[in-house]
Amino acid sequence: MTTTSIEKYEFSVWTTRKVNTNCHICYDSNFYSVPYNFVNKEVTLRVSDKIIKIYCNYELIATHLKLEGKGQFSKYCPLP
């Protein structure tokens, strides 16, 4: 008998948003910033329990911790 390893599966929701002129997208009544060169572009969000990853043309452009509550802002931090 062989054993199989169990890998943790992370459930995610995928959705799209348009970047506002203030360099933010809105998700669940909170605001997440992206670099200014993506203003007015459509981006794709991968939303998990704790993290929001933002992509443009399949390229990861920003990562944020998912905010609790409503009306909060998360500032963009450059990716390493």
Side-chain angles (χ1 to χ4, degrees):
M1 180 184 292
T2 61
T3 60
T4 57
S5 64
I6 299 174
E7 294 182 30
K8 183 179 177 185
Y9 178 76
E10 184 177 27
F11 178 76
S12 298
V13 173
W14 292 82
T15 187
T16 59
R17 295 290 189 273
K18 185 175 179 181
V19 180
N20 294 321
T21 55
N22 67 357
C23 299
H24 287 79
I25 55 96
C26 182
Y27 179 79
D28 199 23
S29 299
N30 288 313
F31 300 90
Y32 300 88
S33 62
V34 299
Y36 70 91
N37 51 318
F38 295 98
V39 167
N40 292 322
K41 293 190 178 179
E42 187 168 292
V43 295
T44 302
L45 282 60
R46 179 181 180 201
V47 183
S48 63
D49 286 340
K50 298 181 182 197
I51 295 176
I52 294 182
K53 293 184 177 183
I54 305 171
Y55 297 86
C56 186
N57 295 324
Y58 305 102
E59 177 185 352
L60 180 64
I61 60 169
T63 301
H64 295 271
L65 291 176
K66 189 174 175 187
L67 297 169
E68 301 291 328
K70 305 290 182 196
Q72 297 184 61
F73 285 81
S74 178
K75 183 179 176 186
Y76 167 73
C77 294
L79 298 170

